[in-house]
Amino acid sequence: MAITFNYSNAGLREHELEQVRPQLITAYKTLMDKSGAGNDFLGWLDLCDTYDKEEFARIKAAAKKIQQQSEVLVAIGIGGSYLGARAGLEFAKGPFYNQLPNKDGVEVYFAGNNISSDYVQYLLDIIGDRDFSVNVISKSGTTTEPAVAFRIFKQKLEEKYGVDGAKERIYATTDANKGALLNLAKEMGYERFVVPDETGGRFSVFTAVGLLPMAAGGMDIDAVMKGLADATKKYANDDVMHNDVALYAAIRYIMMTKGKSVEILSDYNPSLAMFGEWYKQLMAESEGKDHKGIFPTAAHFSTDLHSIGQFIQDGARLFFETVLWVAKANHEITLPDDEKNVDGLNFVSGKSLQFMNEKAMNGTLLAHVDGGVPNLIITLDELSDYTFGELCYFFWKALGISGYMLGVNPFDQPGVEAYKKNMFALLGKPGYEDAKADLEKRLESIR
């Protein structure tokens, strides 16, 4: 298997895990029995067996059609409707996958995750006169950010290809039975894929939500699903003290009880930067409620050792660190010798950058532990389509267990709606007139 978990540097005493064992067993059983809060959003738990095989085949066919028709795919969505796919592409293909020559798929860019006119224009400039397709991903079709982006890119497609030509390049991933986007897709004849009711946005990357953009970008989604299936089997062990996802969940809970209110997910490979963004949404939307939860953030080393490194080493002791380490680089580069040795690096001439990166990781680990920062290590054997499938499931299941240990519903996100209501009111959406007046009065008082 591709993942190992090491908590020997967490600073735990022997009795601490044993003391939370009853809560851990209860939380694990609650998740597996599907008897807890939010249990109607547990479709991801056995997705490797229950996913729609016919739709999966259509996703692969649509990806091939996009690759034949277009040079660029614009995937439009926000939150879980884009983070998983983008994380997967960078994880498996690297941060420069769009610029690589002779790539397996099309360039994939993401829109609808902001309302920046500059961002949209830069993306239009990147597309230029090239052929492109659009995958709009929204359960309702009325979420403001993706709806705004889709209106713009739909117009561009229709101007370039005509209405009939555009419909052959628009793919709608939406609710199976209702919603504005579903109705539009039916009316216009767009090919449709489903956002399953039983799989919430941050757990949706291995449905059509994430699979279509990833497949169009050249990922092997069969390998992704194999990683998911193998992880599902591996982490089905009811002996929670010998199940790594359960142990990770329990240790996160212990850290919180010891006043560690922040978890830093640290990586040493730029291909993992967007995975850090995916992890932040998963953990924050799942646990950050009822005035509880661990605040998740991500750091990218060794880059961030020269920015927030001082705080991590010597600042307030309010966090613990989970290191995401990749044991094998996909490409081997060694440091050349330099006769003049001006930079003083000849002592590592002939060594690989991966070797040097590992020593940087080990040195940082020891320094942070010595500085009072508990450290956990999740090691991947490599970055691949397969390990992406496995790693996402690892975090999903650990999150479900730790959320139940914390005593929250890990599968809803009521707080996300607050900003939406305020934004609708301030934009003048019908039905929000009273709220608009109240909010504008409040804003006036603080200007």
Side-chain angles (χ1 to χ4, degrees), residues 17-33 35 237-243 246-247 249-250 253 400-402 404-405:
L17 270 171
E18 190 59 37
Q19 282 186 331
V20 301
R21 183 174 183 171
Q23 294 159 273
L24 177 59
I25 291 171
T26 297
Y28 184 89
K29 187 174 185 300
T30 299
L31 179 68
M32 297 306 291
D33 290 349
S35 59
N237 184 3
D238 291 339
D239 182 358
V240 293
M241 305 305 279
H242 294 91
N243 184 328
L247 288 171
Y253 179 77
I401 298 166
S402 67
Y404 283 143
M405 291 185 77

Side-chain angles (χ1 to χ4, degrees), residues 71 85-110 126 130 217-218 269-274 303 330-331 333 353 383:
E71 293 180 70
R86 185 168 177 185
L89 284 163
E90 293 197 15
F91 185 105
K93 298 293 185 182
F96 304 119
Y97 68 94
N98 277 331
Q99 288 76 45
L100 292 174
N102 304 317
K103 51 184 165 287
D104 299 325
V106 298
E107 295 175 24
V108 183
Y109 297 98
F110 295 87
I126 285 172
R130 295 186 294 168
N269 190 316
S271 295
L272 291 169
M274 279 307 303
T303 303
N330 287 334
H331 303 89
I333 295 179
L353 297 191
L383 293 177

Side-chain angles (χ1 to χ4, degrees), residues 88 113 140 149 158 202 232 247 260 278 319 408 417 434 441:
N113 50 72
S140 66
E158 290 176 349
R202 54 194 180 274
T232 304
L247 288 171
K260 304 300 183 184
W278 177 87
F319 49 82
V408 300
E417 299 304 314
D434 291 343
K441 189 178 295 184

Side-chain angles (χ1 to χ4, degrees), residues 360-396:
M361 184 273 289
N362 287 330
T364 302
L365 172 72
L366 294 174
H368 288 180
V369 169
D370 289 346
V373 180
N375 263 248
L376 314 175
I377 306 174
I378 298 170
T379 300
L380 313 179
D381 59 3
E382 64 181 359
L383 293 177
S384 67
D385 307 295
Y386 175 91
T387 53
F388 182 68
E390 187 181 4
L391 187 63
C392 287
Y393 191 85
F394 179 97
F395 277 101
W396 280 343

